[in-house]
Amino acid sequence: MIALTIAGFDPSGGAGILRDISVFSSLNLSFRAVPTALTIQTREEVFEKEPIPTEYIRKALGRLQGKIHGVKIGMLSSEEVVKLVVDFLAVRKPDYVVLDPVIRSSSGYPLISKEGLKELKGSLIAYSTFITPNLEEGRILTSEEEPDEIPKKLFLSGARYVVVTGVGGRDDYFYDGEKSSILKGSPIDFSFHGSGCFYSSYLLGRLLLGDSPLLAAKNAKKAVEDSEFF
């Protein structure tokens, strides 16, 4: 099984491509990676971001060989990059797509343009097997305040499964289009750097290893709670 991460490069190793690769490796999955942006940051704060040229991203995606079984999508930075990813998914048709809608860093630094966010909502969500926003991201994406309404609206945008993570600092809200489930857990500080990347890449890994969507969400939640990486 080959897992592809399309995300930003965080030199601290806490988030983005390096975090995703570490998770895929822990699950004994083969992996590929295409960076979308470079950040200048510590594990506490993002100071700057530098976009990767869109032509590089287009060529890198186009040269990936063989079957890509699963794709984890993180920071996309701009409208142009979102469109490139949509085109890639439309052609390559991976079995699973997990979209972690990175909007701003935990320290508040904006990581996608307004136009990019609009394109993500308008086209990319419909290609996702799972979308995994935290509560703040879910509210931005849907303009809904209530945690139990956010998954339903994201489902209507085209995602097959939705998990809103870290509600109340501990619970996840899972929705499959018919049934809502509250996945209760231990208190977690979801502002920890890289927790969303860890969760979404682990979720993709569990799907590739044969978990049902609900079981994959439960296992990803437990892995974040048990992780010593943060």
Side-chain angles (χ1 to χ4, degrees):
M1 290 289 183
I2 295 178
L4 167 66
T5 168
I6 304 173
F9 179 85
D10 166 14
S12 79
I17 278 180
L18 292 180
R19 173 69 80 186
D20 297 339
I21 287 172
S22 71
V23 172
F24 296 153
S25 295
S26 74
L27 294 171
N28 296 314
L29 293 169
S30 298
F31 55 82
R32 307 288 186 268
V34 175
T36 58
L38 308 174
T39 64
I40 299 172
Q41 67 179 97
T42 64
R43 291 204 171 192
E44 289 74 38
E45 186 174 359
V46 177
F47 301 100
E48 297 179 45
K49 65 179 174 71
E50 293 287 341
I52 299 286
T54 53
E55 186 64 9
Y56 168 85
I57 298 171
R58 185 186 66 80
K59 289 180 178 179
L61 290 171
R63 291 290 185 179
L64 291 171
Q65 296 181 334
K67 171 70 174 177
I68 302 297
H69 299 93
V71 180
K72 181 264 170 153
I73 301 168
M75 176 184 171
L76 296 180
S77 185
S78 71
E79 179 184 13
E80 294 76 14
V81 176
V82 176
K83 289 180 177 179
L84 285 175
V85 173
V86 168
D87 290 344
F88 172 80
L89 297 175
V91 172
R92 298 297 291 269
K93 296 179 172 60
D95 298 327
Y96 300 102
V97 176
V98 176
L99 173 58
D100 178 20
V102 177
I103 298 173
R104 59 173 65 106
S105 70
S106 55
S107 61
Y109 190 94
L111 296 174
I112 188 170
S113 67
K114 291 181 179 178
E115 296 79 11
L117 184 59
K118 182 178 179 180
E119 187 68 27
L120 183 150
K121 291 193 289 185
S123 62
L124 184 55
I125 291 176
Y127 282 89
S128 62
T129 311
F130 261 95
I131 185 170
T132 62
N134 60 33
L135 183 57
E136 178 190 10
E137 292 164 342
R139 285 171 170 163
I140 292 171
L141 289 169
T142 64
S143 300
E144 295 284 351
E145 284 297 314
E146 296 302 319
D148 57 341
E149 292 300 320
I150 292 170
K152 297 173 184 177
K153 196 161 185 178
L154 290 172
F155 179 83
L156 292 175
S157 295
R160 289 167 56 193
Y161 302 94
V162 182
V163 178
V164 180
T165 62
V167 178
R170 65 168 68 221
D171 299 333
D172 295 350
Y173 281 50
F174 173 92
Y175 185 64
D176 64 3
E178 295 182 357
K179 182 181 178 183
S180 298
S181 302
I182 299 177
L183 310 183
K184 294 190 174 296
S186 304
I188 299 173
D189 183 355
F190 278 94
S191 67
F192 266 135
H193 184 55
S195 59
C197 300
F198 185 104
Y199 178 90
S200 54
S201 54
Y202 197 96
L203 174 62
L204 175 62
R206 293 309 312 178
L207 289 169
L208 291 173
L209 292 172
D211 284 2
S212 69
L214 180 56
L215 181 58
K218 289 179 178 179
N219 281 331
K221 178 172 181 55
K222 187 175 188 303
V224 172
E225 291 176 347
D226 294 345
S227 176
E228 299 177 355
F229 292 160
F230 304 116

